[in-house]
C-alpha cells in the first residue's frame, strides 16, 4: 500500500513536471478522469460524449476531438488521432488552459500564448496539414452557426479568409490564390486577441466534490 | 495650416467673450432691476396721493416694464448652464487640449476664472448652489448614467474585487488618514490642536472617498485594461455606502464627547443596513419599472419617463431612510436596463440613452464649474501644515492601501493585478465633487469647518489637476497593459467566441465550477421567471433565424446609410472603368461598416450560450456596439422619406463597393482581392420605386446583371468549386417558394452571395413581424457622419407603423 502510494506520488510528480500542474491539481483531475472513464485506465470518445453539460455546446465535437488529437500532446510532428487517451494525455490537453502564472516573464507569456493559439489552430485544422483552408473554415463555422443559416456562415467564412489574406499577403497578384491560413498567419491575425485573460480555467487545488463554494486558487 | 488654427483661436475668443458677457449681463440685469423698481415707485406714489388736481397729468399706460425677480432663479440657472456648456464646446474646438488636460480640469479652471471675476465685482455666487441641490438634483443624474452604461460583464466578473476595494479600501483610507491627522494635531506648532479625534475621522471619511465622476473624467481616454478600469470605476461608485455610514457615524459621534466601542458595532450594523438597503431599494424599483414598461405599448411617448422617474424615486426613497442612495440608483439602473430595453420602442430606447447622457453631461459640467466658482467665493482658512499633511496622508494611505489590498486579493483572482496596475489604481484615485458637497454639509458646530472646506478643495484641486493631467503620460510611460478596444477583424471576433465555447466546454468536462456556473444558473432563472413576468414578449431569445434575417436587413440598410462620396457618375460606367483601372492593384476589402455588421451578426447569433457581453462604453459617446447585441432597424416609412435623389446616387455607388459579387460560372478561378460589383441602371430604378416581393422582377433582373464572384481561395478541387456554386443557386431557387411572410428578409439571408439584385429590395422592407424579445438600439460611433438614424422597433412593427 505504501509502495503503491509512493509510486503514484512519483507518477504525479512526473506528470506535474510535464504538464505544469501542481500535484494537488493532478490528483483532482485524476479523480475526474476516473469519474469520466468509469474507473478504467483510458477514456474513449464515448465517455466524453456522454457528459450532459456538454450537450449544449455547439462545438462539442471539436472539443472532444481536441482531446484525441495527437498534435495537442506537444510532441511535435505527430499527426492523427488517438482512440483512447490516458491520464497523461488528458493532462497534456488540459494544460493548455492553465492561467498565466503571476510571475511569468515575457517569454513565458509568449510561449503560453503560442501554445493556446496552437490549440485553437489545431482545432480548426481538421485534416492536420498545417493549413486552415477555406473549406475547413467554412465547415467549422457551419457547425457552430446552427441558426444563422448556411449562406451567412459561408459568407462569413469567406470574409474571414479574405481578411487573413489581405493582412498577410497583401501583394498578391490577381491570379494568385490564397492557400489557407498557416500558423504564422493565424498568429498574426489574432494578435489583438487577449488570450491570456480569456482562455483559461481555474483549476482547483482542492477537491471539488467536498468544497463547493471555495475560492479557486490556481 | 495657419488658417484653421487661427479660426480656432477666434472661436475660442468669441466664446470667452460671450461667456463673460453673459455673466456680465447678469450683473447689469440685477442693477437695472433696482432701477426698474425705482422707476416704479414714483408711479406708485402718484396714485397714492390724493388727486388734488384731477386734471393734472395722469399716469400713462406703461409700454415697457421689466420684472426681474419673477424670473430670476430659472433665468440665472439657464445662463449658468449655457455658460458651462459654452466652455465645454470651447474645449473641443481645440482638440489638442483635451488630450492632455482632462475636461474636469478645464472646467474647474474656467470656473475659477469666472469666480474671480464675480469676486472682483463683489457678486455672490448663485444661491442655488447648495448641498441640497447637489445631492438631490445633480448627483443622481450622474450616478444614473454611470449605472445605466456600466459594462455589466466585466463588472460581474470582478464584483468581488470591486467590493473589496470599495468597502475595505475606503475604511482603511478613512481610518488611516483620520488617525494620522489626529497625530499631527497633537503637535502644538501647527496650531490645530482643537480638532479632536472624531472631527478628524469625520474629515478623513469625507476625503477618502474616490469620486466616480472625476475618475471617469480622468480615465476616459486612457485605455487601461478592462480589469483595472472596472475596478476603479466600480470602487468609485460603490464606496458611497461606506462613505455614508462613516459620515453619519462620525458626525453623530462628533457631537458626543466620548467614543464607545458599542458605536463601532452599531456602525457595522448600520453599514449592512445601508448597503443591503440600497441594493434592495434599487432592485425593487428596478423590477417595478421593468414591469411597468410591459404595459406601455400604447403610450409610447411617455416610456422614457418611467426610467427616469423610477430611478429618481429609488434615489429619493433611499435618501429618505438615509441609506445609500447611490447604490440604490445604480442597482435600479442595472436591473431595469435589460428588461426595459426589450419592452420599449426603439425610439424610446434611443431617447432614454440620449437624455441620460445629456443630463449627466450637463450635471457634471456644472459641478466642476461650480467647484471652480465657489472656490474663490467662499471663506477660506488656510493652514499650511494641516493641508499639506492631509495631502500627504491621502496619497500615502491610498498607495499603501491599494498595495496591501491587492496582495490580499490577488491570490483569489485569475488575472492578477501587477504592480503597474496597482500603481494605476492608486494614482487614479481622484477626489471630486462628492467630497466637496459633503464638506459643505458639515454641521456648523464644528468650529474648524472652514479649514476643512479649504483642505477639501485643496485636495480636490490637487488630485484633479496634478493627478489628472499627469496620469496619462505616466500610464503610457510605464506601459500598463492596455485594452484593445478595436475589433477590427472578423477573425478576432470569431475566435473570441470559439474560445468562450471551448472554455465552457472544458469546464464542463472538468466538472469545475466557475462564474460561468452562476451565470448559467442566473440565466435559467431569468428565462423561467423573470422574463415571463417582466417582459411583454417573453419568448426565448433563441429564435435566431429570424433574428438573423433582421440583421441582414439592417446590414443592407446600413450599407446604404454610409455616404460614399467618391462616385457620382452613372454607376455602370463608372464601375466598369474603375475595375479596369484597378485591375492591377488589390483594393481595400471591406467597408468598416461591413465588418461591423459582420461583427453584429457574429455576436448576436453565434455562440450565445452563456454570455451576454456589453460593449465597453466611452463616456462621451454612445456605447460602441460593435460587440453588443442591439440592432437598429429602420422602418419602411423612414426609408421612403430618406430616399432622395442625392441619396440614390450614394446608394448606388455603395453597391459598387459592396462586398461580394457573384460570378456565374467560372467559379474555379480566383480573383483574390477585388471587390467590384457591376450594377445595371435599370435595376436601380426598379429599386427606387421600391416595390417589394416582386419575384419576377427579381429573377428577371438577375440575368441582366453580369456579376462576378469573388473568390479568395481556390476551391480544393474544381468539382468542389462548381458544386459549391450550384448549391448556392439551388438555395436561391428554393427560397422563393418558401412561405415566409416577408419577402425581403428571405432574400437578404444570402446577402453576401447574392448581390444587388436582392439588395434593392431589401432596402425598403415592409414592417416586419419581429421576433420577440429582440431589442434594437442605436449605436455606433460613426465617424462617417451617418449619425443615429431614426429607428423603428420591430417587435411592434405592424402596430407601430403608423405611429412615431
Amino acid at each position: 500500500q505504501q509502495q503503491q502510494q509512493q509510486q503514484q506520488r512519483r507518477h504525479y510528480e512526473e506528470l506535474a513536471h510535464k504538464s505544469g500542474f501542481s500535484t494537488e491539481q493532478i490528483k483532482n483531475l485524476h479523480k475526474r478522469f476516473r469519474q469520466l472513464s468509469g474507473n478504467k485506465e483510458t477514456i474513449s470518445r464515448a465517455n466524453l460524449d456522454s457528459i450532459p453539460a456538454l450537450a449544449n455546446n455547439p462545438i462539442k465535437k471539436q472539443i472532444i476531438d481536441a482531446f484525441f488529437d495527437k498534435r495537442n500532446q506537444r510532441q511535435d510532428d505527430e499527426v492523427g488521432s488517438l482512440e483512447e487517451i490516458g491520464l497523461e494525455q488528458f493532462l497534456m490537453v488540459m494544460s493548455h488552459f492553465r492561467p498565466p502564472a503571476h510571475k511569468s516573464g515575457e517569454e513565458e507569456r509568449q510561449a503560453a500564448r503560442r501554445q493556446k493559439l496552437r490549440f485553437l489552430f489545431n482545432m480548426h485544422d481538421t485534416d492536420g496539414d498545417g493549413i486552415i483552408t477555406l473549406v475547413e473554415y467554412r465547415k467549422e463555422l457551419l457547425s457552430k452557426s446552427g441558426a444563422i443559416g448556411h449562406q451567412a456562415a459561408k459568407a462569413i467564412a469567406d470574409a474571414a479568409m479574405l481578411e487573413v489574406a489581405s493582412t498577410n499577403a497583401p501583394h498578391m497578384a490577381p491570379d494568385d490564390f490564397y492557400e489557407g491560413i498557416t500558423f504564422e498567419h493565424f498568429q498574426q491575425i489574432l494578435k489583438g486577441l487577449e488570450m491570456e485573460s480569456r482562455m483559461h480555467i481555474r483549476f482547483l487545488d482542492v477537491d471539488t466534490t467536498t468544497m463547493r463554494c471555495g475560492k479557486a486558487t490556481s | 495650416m495657419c488658417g484653421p488654427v487661427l479660426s480656432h483661436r477666434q472661436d475660442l475668443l468669441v466664446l470667452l467673450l460671450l461667456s463673460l458677457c453673459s455673466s456680465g449681463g447678469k450683473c447689469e440685469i440685477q442693477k437695472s432691476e433696482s432701477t426698474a423698481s425705482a422707476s416704479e415707485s414714483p408711479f406708485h406714489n402718484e396714485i397714492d396721493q390724493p388727486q388734488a388736481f384731477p386734471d393734472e397729468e395722469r399716469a400713462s399706460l406703461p409700454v415697457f416694464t421689466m420684472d426681474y425677480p419673477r424670473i430670476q432663479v430659472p433665468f440665472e440657472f439657464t445662463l449658468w448652464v449655457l455658460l458651462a456648456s459654452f466652455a465645454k464646446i470651447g474645449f473641443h474646438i481645440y482638440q489638442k487640449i483635451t488630450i492632455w488636460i482632462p475636461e474636469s480640469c478645464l472646467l474647474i479652471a474656467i470656473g475659477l476664472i469666472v469666480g474671480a471675476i464675480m469676486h472682483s465685482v463683489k457678486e455672490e455666487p448663485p444661491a442655488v448652489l447648495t448641498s441640497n441641490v447637489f445631492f438631490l438634483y445633480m448627483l443622481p443624474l450622474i450616478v444614473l448614467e454611470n449605472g445605466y452604461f456600466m459594462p455589466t460583464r466585466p463588472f460581474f466578473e470582478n464584483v468581488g474585487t470591486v467590493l473589496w476595494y470599495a468597502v475595505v479600501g475606503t475604511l482603511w483610507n478613512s481610518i488611516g488618514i483620520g488617525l494620522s491627522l489626529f497625530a499631527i494635531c497633537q503637535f502644538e506648532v501647527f496650531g490645530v490642536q482643537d480638532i479632536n479625534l472624531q472631527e478628524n475621522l469625520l474629515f478623513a471619511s469625507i476625503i477618502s472617498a474616490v469620486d466616480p465622476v472625476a475618475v471617469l473624467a480622468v480615465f476616459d481616454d486612457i485605455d487601461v485594461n478592462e480589469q483595472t478600469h472596472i475596478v476603479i470605476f466600480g470602487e468609485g461608485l460603490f464606496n458611497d455606502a461606506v462613505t455614508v455610514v462613516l459620515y453619519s457615524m462620525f458626525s453623530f459621534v462628533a457631537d458626543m464627547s466620548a467614543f464607545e466601542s458599542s458605536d463601532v458595532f452599531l456602525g457595522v450594523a448600520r453599514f449592512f443596513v445601508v448597503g443591503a438597503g440600497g441594493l434592495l431599494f434599487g432592485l425593487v424599483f428596478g423590477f417595478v419599472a421593468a414591469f411597468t414598461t410591459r404595459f406601455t405599448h400604447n403610450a409610447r411617448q411617455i416610456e422614457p419617463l418611467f426610467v427616469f422617474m423610477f430611478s429618481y424615486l429609488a434615489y429619493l426613497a433611499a435618501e429618505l431612510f438615509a441609506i445609500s442612495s447611490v447604490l440604490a440608483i445604480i442597482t435600479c439602473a442595472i436591473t431595469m436596463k435589460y428588461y426595459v430595453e426589450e419592452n420599449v420602442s426603439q425610439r424610446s430606447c434611443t431617447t432614454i440613452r440620449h437624455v441620460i447622457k445629456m443630463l449627466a453631461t450637463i450635471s457634471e459640467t456644472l459641478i466642476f464649474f461650480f467647484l471652480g466658482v465657489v472656490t474663490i467665493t467662499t471663506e477660506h482658512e488656510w493652514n499650511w501644515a494641516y493641508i499639506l499633511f492631509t495631502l500627504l496622508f491621502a496619497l500615502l494611505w491610498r498607495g499603501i492601501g491599494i498595495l496591501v489590498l491587492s496582495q490580499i486579493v490577488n491570490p483569489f483572482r485569475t488575472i492578477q493585478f501587477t504592480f503597474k496596475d496597482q500603481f494605476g489604481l492608486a494614482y487614479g484615485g481622484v477626489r471630486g465633487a462628492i467630497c466637496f458637497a459633503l464638506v459643505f454639509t458639515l454641521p456648523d458646530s464644528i468650529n474648524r469647518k472652514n479649514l476643512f472646506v479649504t483642505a477639501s478643495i485643496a485636495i480636490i484641486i490637487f488630485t484633479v489637476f496634478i493627478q489628472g493631467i499627469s496620469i496619462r503620460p505616466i500610464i503610457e510611460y510605464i506601459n500598463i497593459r492596455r485594452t484593445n478596444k478595436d475589433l477590427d477583424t472578423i477573425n478576432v471576433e470569431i475566435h473570441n467566441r470559439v474560445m468562450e465555447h471551448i472554455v465552457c466546454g472544458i469546464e464542463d468536462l472538468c466538472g469545475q465550477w466557475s462564474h460561468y456556473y452562476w451565470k448559467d444558473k442566473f440565466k435559467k432563472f431569468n428565462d423561467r421567471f423573470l422574463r415571463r413576468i417582466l417582459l411583454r414578449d417573453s419568448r426565448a431569445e433563441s429564435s435566431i433565424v429570424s433574428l438573423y434575417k433582421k440583421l441582414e436587413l439592417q446590414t443592407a440598410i446600413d450599407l446604404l446609410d454610409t455616404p460614399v462620396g467618391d462616385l457620382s457618375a452613372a454607376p455602370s460606367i463608372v464601375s466598369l472603368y474603375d475595375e479596369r483601372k484597378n485591375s492591377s492593384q488589390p483594393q481595400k476589402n471591406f467597408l468598416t461598416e461591413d465588418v461591423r455588421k459582420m461583427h453584429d451578426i457574429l455576436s448576436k447569433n453565434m455562440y450565445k450560450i452563456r454570455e451576454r457581453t456589453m460593449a465597453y462604453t466611452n463616456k462621451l459617446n454612445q456605447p460602441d456596439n460593435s460587440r453588443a447585441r442591439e440592432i437598429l432597424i429602420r422602418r419602411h416609412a423612414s426609408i421612403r422619406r430618406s430616399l432622395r435623389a442625392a441619396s440614390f446616387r450614394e446608394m448606388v455607388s455603395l453597391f459598387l463597393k459592396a462586398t461580394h459579387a457573384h460570378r456565374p460560372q467560372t467559379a474555379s478561378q480566383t480573383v483574390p482581392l477585388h471587390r467590384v460589383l457591376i450594377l445595371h441602371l435599370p435595376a436601380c430604378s426598379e429599386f427606387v420605386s421600391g416595390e417589394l416581393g416582386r419575384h419576377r422582377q427579381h429573377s428577371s433582373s438577375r440575368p441582366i446583371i453580369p456579376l462576378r464572384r469573388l473568390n479568395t481561395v481556390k476551391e480544393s478541387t474544381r468539382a468542389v468549386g462548381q458544386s459549391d456554386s450550384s448549391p448556392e443557386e439551388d438555395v436561391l431557387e428554393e427560397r422563393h417558394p418558401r412561405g415566409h411572410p416577408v419577402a425581403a428578409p428571405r432574400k437578404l439571408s444570402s446577402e453576401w452571395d447574392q448581390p444587388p439584385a436582392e439588395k434593392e429590395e431589401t432596402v425598403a422592407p415592409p414592417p416586419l413581424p419581429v421576433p420577440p424579445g429582440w431589442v434594437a438600439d442605436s449605436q455606433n460611433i460613426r465617424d462617417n457622419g451617418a449619425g443615429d438614424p431614426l429607428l423603428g422597433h420591430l417587435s411592434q412593427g405592424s402596430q407601430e407603423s403608423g405611429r412615431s
Side-chain angles (χ1 to χ4, degrees), chain B residues 54-122:
Chain B
D55 294 337
E56 282 194 15
E57 46 168 332
R58 57 184 183 82
S60 51
L61 187 69
V63 174
F64 180 71
T65 56
M66 206 160 78
D67 184 6
Y68 185 67
R70 181 163 168 254
I71 57 146
Q72 178 171 6
V73 169
F75 189 72
E76 288 185 0
F77 173 70
T78 313
L79 277 183
W80 279 106
V81 171
L82 271 180
L83 182 57
S85 311
F86 285 146
K88 208 169 154 76
I89 300 179
F91 303 144
H92 286 286
I93 287 184
Y94 196 43
Q95 286 287 340
K96 287 212 179 139
I97 296 186
T98 50
I99 296 183
W100 293 111
I101 308 183
E103 242 183 57
S104 43
C105 300
L106 293 171
L107 284 169
I108 295 183
I110 298 273
L112 285 172
I113 297 175
V114 173
I117 296 176
M118 289 181 69
H119 188 69
S120 61
V121 297
K122 299 285 185 278

Side-chain angles (χ1 to χ4, degrees), chain A residues 29 32 36 48 51 53-54 56-59 63 67 90 94 97 99-100 102 109 119-120 123-124 134-135 137-138 140-141 144-145 147-148 151-152 154-156 158-166 169-170 172-179 181 186 189-190 192-195 197-204 208 212 215-218, chain B residues 153 227 410-418 481-484 488-492 494-496 498-513 544-545 548 552 583-584 586 589-590 595 598 601-602 605-607 609-610 627 660 670-674 709-710 712-716 720 724 728 731 735 749-750 752-753:
Chain A
L29 287 172
R32 178 71 181 165
L36 288 174
L48 291 182
I51 299 177
L54 267 188
N56 289 329
N57 203 314
I59 54 172
I63 296 180
F67 273 90
F90 186 71
M94 284 299 192
F97 293 94
H102 182 37
R109 253 191 230 272
F119 185 84
L120 271 189
M123 206 174 207
H124 292 313
L134 181 67
V135 176
Y137 209 92
R138 275 189 187 163
E140 181 224 332
L141 266 192
K144 295 173 206 149
S145 63
I148 285 192
Q151 296 314 96
K154 258 193 210 161
I156 292 175
D158 286 353
M161 286 298 269
L162 203 60
E163 206 175 66
V164 181
S166 62
M172 285 165 35
D175 283 331
D176 281 354
F177 66 86
Y178 184 66
E179 285 240 7
I181 310 179
F186 194 72
I189 55 173
L190 290 189
L193 190 56
E194 247 188 74
M195 304 205 77
S197 50
R198 304 289 197 93
M199 190 162 146
H200 61 75
I201 296 182
R202 293 171 163 188
F203 289 106
L204 301 186
T208 38
R212 282 284 176 190
K215 302 252 192 198
T217 58
S218 49
Chain B
R153 179 188 60 85
Q227 288 80 29
N410 260 341
F412 295 100
R413 286 180 56 87
T414 333
I415 307 158
Q416 307 185 336
F417 286 123
T418 63
R481 199 167 27 110
R482 313 282 280 269
T483 179
N484 186 7
D488 284 325
T489 63
I490 305 169
N491 283 288
V492 168
I494 292 180
H495 289 101
N496 230 352
V498 173
M499 264 193 335
E500 285 168 8
H501 278 268
I502 295 180
V503 173
C504 281
I506 302 265
E507 279 185 352
D508 289 332
L509 228 142
C510 285
Q512 302 269 349
W513 282 38
I544 293 181
V545 178
Y548 172 68
E552 287 178 308
S583 61
S584 53
N589 280 321
F590 290 103
V595 179
M598 287 187 215
I601 293 175
L602 284 172
N605 294 305
M606 302 169 79
Y607 316 128
I609 274 204
R610 293 181 212 196
R627 294 184 56 182
H660 276 69
T670 64
V671 179
L673 303 169
H674 294 233
R709 166 181 237 169
L710 197 59
T712 60
V713 179
K714 180 180 179 178
E715 307 295 347
S716 41
V720 174
D724 212 358
E728 279 166 350
V731 175
R735 248 181 306 175
S749 60
S750 75
W752 311 107
D753 287 328

Side-chain angles (χ1 to χ4, degrees), chain B residues 13-30 68 75-87 110 114 117-118 121 123 369:
Chain B
L13 278 176
V14 165
L15 278 172
L16 263 177
L17 279 175
L18 259 176
S19 48
L20 284 178
C21 283
S22 61
S23 59
K26 235 174 26 58
C27 302
E28 286 177 11
I29 289 171
Q30 286 186 340
Y68 185 67
F75 189 72
E76 288 185 0
F77 173 70
T78 313
L79 277 183
W80 279 106
V81 171
L82 271 180
L83 182 57
S85 311
F86 285 146
I110 298 273
V114 173
I117 296 176
M118 289 181 69
V121 297
E123 278 281 330
F369 189 71

